[in-house]
Amino acid sequence: MNALTTPSTLHAASGTPAPGHLPVMLAEVLESLKPADGDAILDCTFGGGGYTSAILKSADCAVWAIDRDPDAIARGQAMAAGFTNAEGQSRLHMLHGGFGSMTDLTEAADAPAFDGIVLDLGVSSFQLDEAARGFSFRMDGPLDMRMAKSGPSAADIVNKAPESELADIFHFYGEERHARRVARAIVADRVETPFETTAQLAGLIRRVVPSDRSGIDAATRSFQGLRIAVNDELGEIERGLTQALDLLAPGGRLVVVSFHSLEDRIAKRVMGAATGKTTSFSRYDPRAALTKGDEAAFIALTGRPLRPGDAECAANPRARSARLRAVEKRSTDVSSFGKGLIP
């Protein structure tokens, strides 16, 4: 079968997400976005199409969906046939690229200002569960990790980067306390045998990183750091969130679901600045008066990040670390504004 006729894309043609894909905090995302008939929504991380499918089913709206993974684009193209308007035209428009370039992608597609934008910053279940993509240390596969299937792979970085650069990747992106030990061991081992597989790298990490009481696999943090570096994930998030704020129509909502502290920290900072809740100054500093929330272009819809319920975490363990933040662009008619915080 080719990319357009895999079992997952055939299933998508019915207008439902592919099997095995569980969109995280779906009910909370829909409640935050509040899609309505005639709305234009941007799903910046299409993945398996879980959010997009639910949004299109909830209202007679249109969705523009972005993904840099060509496999995800194929899934979306198959799904598009299941959602048409009165004229028989699809309400789903797929855009191939990274969400850090969403301004260029949506302008090229002649998309309107958006009434809602959603970003799920987690790695796609399809990427994690497919050994050949090389994202997971739980299955042996090529040491790849490229979301876009192009550019330098994880193996390229592991086999060519200097020890200091590897240590920084594991420390800053993976928050691995033993980053220097891991980097030093990699550089020593790769002299004789270059790293080619996930099992090979995971085995080395487990050999040099002591187990901790949490029960988390010793390779978890280093693999996270390497994946972030391969895909420039933090830079992509920074660029994407800044552009998303500009692409919203008055009254439009931005919803962000993050899965680890590095992602959430960026979301908190960017969205906090947009709502005037910057932490740049002490509340006793006179300059803090220049960033009052009631003067900002956006209002926070979540006082604190929303978390998934116990039932969802039990059904989908990958949801356990999720956090949802949302803001709304101030309407030109302030009297019509004030949907308030999401409880």
Side-chain angles (χ1 to χ4, degrees):
M1 292 183 177
N2 60 36
L4 290 175
T5 55
T6 62
S8 62
T9 55
L10 287 173
H11 191 272
S14 66
T16 59
H21 178 71
L22 296 175
V24 173
M25 299 185 71
L26 178 58
E28 293 86 349
V29 166
L30 291 176
E31 173 61 23
S32 302
L33 280 177
K34 296 190 181 300
D37 292 353
D39 277 359
I41 308 293
L42 179 63
D43 181 351
C44 298
T45 47
F46 179 80
Y51 290 154
T52 287
S53 176
I55 291 167
L56 289 168
K57 289 176 180 177
S58 69
D60 185 17
C61 59
V63 172
W64 281 256
I66 296 173
D67 209 295
R68 54 175 156 179
D69 188 336
D71 290 350
I73 295 299
R75 287 191 289 270
Q77 289 170 339
M79 181 185 290
F83 296 102
T84 57
N85 57 24
E87 289 75 35
Q89 299 169 326
S90 178
R91 295 189 285 125
L92 172 57
H93 312 277
M94 297 302 301
L95 308 177
H96 187 197
F99 62 75
S101 302
M102 66 175 73
T103 298
D104 291 339
L105 291 171
T106 55
E107 285 182 353
D110 199 26
F114 292 102
D115 302 291
I117 298 177
V118 59
L119 291 94
D120 173 354
L121 302 178
V123 182
S124 167
S125 299
F126 295 98
Q127 293 168 342
L128 285 174
D129 295 340
E130 188 177 341
R133 300 300 299 272
F135 282 90
S136 177
F137 51 80
R138 301 188 186 282
M139 301 174 289
D140 193 17
L143 191 57
D144 194 323
M145 299 191 186
R146 296 173 297 176
M147 293 179 178
K149 294 189 174 183
S150 62
S153 67
D156 292 328
I157 293 177
V158 167
N159 290 315
K160 298 176 183 178
E163 180 180 327
S164 60
E165 182 179 336
L166 288 173
D168 285 346
I169 287 172
F170 300 137
H171 174 69
F172 291 109
Y173 295 161
E175 299 178 298
E176 171 55 68
R177 289 179 299 166
H178 304 284
R180 295 193 181 281
R181 186 185 300 179
V182 174
R184 186 163 52 248
I186 286 173
V187 171
D189 277 27
R190 74 188 186 187
V191 173
E192 296 293 332
T193 307
F195 288 86
E196 296 179 349
T197 69
T198 55
Q200 184 184 2
L201 178 61
L204 175 140
I205 296 170
R206 291 169 184 144
R207 191 178 78 227
V208 301
V209 174
S211 301
D212 58 37
R213 296 178 182 177
S214 69
I216 297 174
D217 192 293
T220 300
R221 296 182 180 89
S222 294
F223 266 65
Q224 172 186 294
L226 188 55
R227 189 203 75 227
I228 289 173
V230 168
N231 297 288
D232 185 26
E233 291 180 31
L234 300 186
E236 189 82 348
I237 293 169
E238 186 90 37
R239 293 186 294 271
L241 290 178
T242 302
Q243 293 173 50
L245 295 172
D246 291 335
L247 291 174
L248 284 172
R253 294 179 162 206
L254 171 62
V255 180
V256 180
V257 180
S258 59
F259 290 84
H260 60 72
S261 59
L262 297 176
E263 297 171 343
D264 186 58
R265 202 173 300 154
I266 297 173
K268 180 180 180 180
R269 174 171 51 79
V270 173
M271 298 170 92
T275 58
K277 296 181 179 179
T278 177
T279 56
S280 298
F281 307 118
S282 163
R283 60 178 175 167
Y284 302 108
D285 192 318
R287 291 173 293 177
L290 300 176
T291 56
K292 290 182 179 179
D294 59 357
E295 298 173 352
F298 291 81
I299 187 171
L301 297 175
T302 48
R304 294 181 179 180
L306 302 184
R307 302 298 299 271
D310 292 341
E312 178 174 5
C313 291
N316 181 15
R318 289 176 181 170
R320 287 178 297 190
S321 62
R323 294 175 175 84
L324 184 152
R325 297 181 185 273
V327 297
E328 182 173 327
K329 192 168 189 177
R330 193 176 292 277
S331 173
T332 52
D333 180 4
V334 178
S335 64
S336 67
F337 189 81
K339 298 175 182 177
L341 297 178
I342 298 172

